[in-house]
Amino acid sequence: MRTETILKYANERVPRYTSYPTAPHFSPDLDARDYGQWLAGLDPNAPVSLYLHVPFCRTMCWYCGCHTKATRRIAPVDAYADILLKEIDTVANHTAARLKVSHIHWGGGSPTYLPPRRFEALMDRIRHRFDVLPDAEIAVEVDPRIFDDAMASAFVASGVTRASLGVQTFDDSVQRAVNRIQPRELVEECVDMLRDAGVTGLNFDLLYGLPLQTVENCIASARMALALRPDRFSVFGYAHVPHMKPHQSMIAENDLPGAAQRLAQADAIAGTLAAGGQVPIGLDHFARAGDELARALEAGALRRNFQGYTTDTAPAIIGLGASAIGWLPRGYVQNTAHTHDWERRVLNGELPTARGYRLTPEDRLRRSIIEQLMCTLSADPAALAAAAGLAVPQADLSAFQAAGIVAREGSRVIVDPAYRPLVRNVAAAYDERLQTSSARHAVAV
Ligand code: SF4
């Protein structure tokens, strides 16, 4: 019964709600001048987070959905790092005071493709222009195929505390089918190097829904991953959108598992991780019991942002690098995604803003309802609306209630954890901008 119910909704296209409103609703009307004012208005007493985007990889994985470019040449990566130094200065010049930083997240692409001395120089520049708090989390997305002793030393010198490893699958045939050859021994070596470098927090990313993936090889990969004792997992379903990501056409649609198989694979990975002591967090994350993320969930302090589930409670995230998205108290702002345009504008001393979104009180209310649902599978829209002094947003949950997906306790809306894969569908009922016919989002399961 549960399977049939989930499959009924599995092919709906719904956002991942790492923001609300979601990025397709950002507008070019919001420009560098607005962003400059927002930066100048940041409270110097409140810490901020920094997100740095590195849009380069050595080779392209066919499943990739990120904003990145494959290149074997290190020269463009080196040049990019130089411009990033300048963007750090430009942003710091726009703030009214030296800001405190509580979180730094390096994403991509492959931040570990940066030459190690460049990574260190960028971290030095951040420390020179901002007050990085002594207990700040400094997290880096790591490609185990491009990580070596020199980068491990750069991590030590820069005080990196957390690494997210793109593991995806340990199955050789699946790895070949998606152009990401990454033997188990290589991941083990990378984990050892990171631990030796004092990186105490480890996240693994796993994928399901890839060509040649089966329930059996998903379970085997999850078990191998557990044996390396990471603290956290993110488990994503492959989103096949070749109209947006042309390299994905290297994966034949006929080779992809169908919705029922995808659900079975997701369930199999979740069951394996739970049996290994991992606690489910929100839609698709897992954390070892006692991990900070699991504790934040228990304490009602879990947040969701562009990097997924997080303990980061800073009221502002400043995005740096081509395509990087920032999240400020007044709204969202995104840098131009065209690397040459980003470079030209930063070299001109400009903020390279391409678009953004100014939040209204109504948006903030809907955002908090959606964020609570995505984090805790539960929200009290009436209480949140009362606190905001606004009317309760209307949402038709009747079909979800009739199917047993959603229950109500007073004014509280509760998603049954058995239907966790559908929490985005429930959250979408509070999204007044969602066009359900839109193909811009990936399928629900
Ligand atoms: S390494 Fe990561 S960002 Fe780069 S192509 Fe592969 S999946 Fe995409």
Side-chain angles (χ1 to χ4, degrees):
M1 182 63 190
R2 169 189 175 266
T3 302
E4 290 84 71
T5 305
I6 294 179
L7 290 178
K8 208 174 119 198
Y9 292 95
N11 286 322
E12 280 188 3
R13 294 189 176 270
V14 276
R16 301 191 58 76
Y17 291 119
T18 51
S19 71
Y20 179 80
T22 52
H25 298 285
F26 296 180
S27 149
D29 294 345
L30 197 128
D31 59 19
R33 236 181 89 212
D34 299 308
Y35 182 37
Q37 287 170 2
W38 288 4
L39 285 172
L42 286 175
D43 176 1
N45 297 312
V48 298
S49 295
L50 303 181
Y51 171 75
L52 295 103
H53 191 81
V54 181
F56 297 100
C57 295
R58 196 154 61 192
T59 56
M60 185 59 80
C61 312
W62 301 145
Y63 59 81
C64 181
C66 302
H67 174 70
T68 192
K69 182 182 170 193
T71 175
R72 291 274 179 184
R73 294 174 49 241
I74 203 65
V77 191
D78 223 20
Y80 183 87
D82 252 350
I83 320 274
L84 209 42
L85 284 172
K86 180 144 174 71
E87 193 186 7
I88 293 167
D89 286 336
T90 305
V91 165
N93 290 343
H94 275 81
T95 60
R98 197 178 153 86
L99 297 176
K100 299 182 184 71
V101 172
S102 57
H103 271 75
I104 300 174
H105 189 105
W106 287 84
S110 302
T112 52
Y113 201 13
L114 286 169
R117 67 193 158 79
R118 290 288 192 189
F119 180 81
E120 264 188 76
L122 283 157
M123 284 298 303
D124 285 349
R125 184 66 61 93
I126 290 170
R127 290 184 190 279
H128 180 60
R129 299 305 309 260
F130 296 88
D131 277 335
V132 178
L133 297 172
D135 59 348
E137 175 166 285
I138 302 175
V140 187
E141 292 172 14
V142 170
D143 181 342
R145 299 166 300 170
I146 38 177
F147 191 78
D148 56 15
D149 287 333
M151 199 58 176
S153 302
F155 275 22
V156 174
S158 306
V160 172
T161 58
R162 179 169 295 282
S164 284
L165 274 72
V167 172
Q168 324 306 3
T169 171
F170 282 110
D171 188 90
D172 302 350
S173 59
V174 181
Q175 289 189 1
R176 279 195 298 276
V178 298
N179 197 38
R180 185 177 180 128
I181 310 296
Q182 187 172 274
R184 176 180 165 173
E185 299 70 36
L186 186 138
V187 176
E188 284 172 359
E189 269 170 39
C190 181
V191 165
D192 288 345
M193 274 193 276
L194 286 163
R195 290 201 165 117
D196 289 347
V199 178
T200 49
L202 283 185
N203 302 19
F204 280 8
D205 289 349
L206 296 178
L207 273 172
Y208 64 86
L210 294 172
L212 304 184
Q213 271 190 306
T214 60
V215 164
E216 292 71 29
N217 64 33
C218 282
I219 292 174
S221 285
R223 285 191 179 140
M224 285 185 212
L226 278 168
L228 296 174
R229 297 175 292 104
D231 309 280
R232 301 177 190 170
F233 285 89
S234 306
V235 182
F236 301 121
Y238 166 55
H240 191 61
V241 284
H243 54 288
M244 290 161 68
K245 298 285 172 188
H247 57 264
Q248 289 187 348
S249 53
M250 295 299 289
I251 294 178
E253 200 148 349
N254 287 342
D255 291 343
L256 292 173
Q261 290 163 287
R262 283 171 66 93
L263 177 60
Q265 292 171 11
D267 281 347
I269 295 174
T272 308
L273 296 183
Q278 293 274 327
V279 178
I281 308 276
L283 170 68
D284 48 16
H285 282 38
F286 295 81
R288 147 183 80 63
D291 178 85
E292 238 184 303
L293 205 63
R295 292 208 312 269
L297 175 66
E298 272 173 33
L302 185 68
R303 300 297 310 274
R304 183 161 175 83
N305 66 22
F306 291 107
Q307 280 76 58
Y309 292 101
T310 176
T311 55
D312 182 5
T313 53
I317 301 172
I318 295 174
L320 296 151
S323 80
I325 300 181
W327 172 327
L328 281 84
R330 291 164 72 181
Y332 304 110
V333 59
Q334 182 168 27
N335 279 352
T336 174
H338 303 288
T339 308
H340 290 303
D341 188 34
W342 171 81
E343 187 178 310
R344 180 186 58 75
R345 291 178 63 185
V346 175
L347 287 176
N348 271 344
E350 297 169 36
L351 291 166
T353 308
R355 58 192 194 132
Y357 188 92
R358 190 177 276 103
L359 286 162
T360 66
E362 173 81 16
D363 293 328
R364 289 174 205 279
L365 170 59
R366 288 179 184 272
R367 181 173 73 173
S368 56
I369 296 169
I370 288 173
E371 189 181 16
Q372 282 196 8
L373 280 168
M374 293 297 295
C375 287
T376 64
L377 308 187
S378 159
D380 189 337
L384 291 167
L390 295 169
V392 186
Q394 293 307 303
D396 182 5
L397 300 178
S398 52
F400 295 124
Q401 283 182 261
I405 298 164
V406 162
R408 282 197 185 264
E409 269 178 24
S411 55
R412 183 164 281 280
V413 173
I414 300 167
V415 179
D416 184 329
Y419 292 104
R420 188 181 293 275
L422 298 182
V423 66
R424 291 193 287 157
N425 306 62
V426 177
Y430 290 93
D431 180 349
E432 65 175 347
R433 291 185 170 75
L434 181 70
Q435 298 152 338
T436 40
S437 61
S438 167
R440 286 178 299 193
H441 304 294
V443 291
V445 177

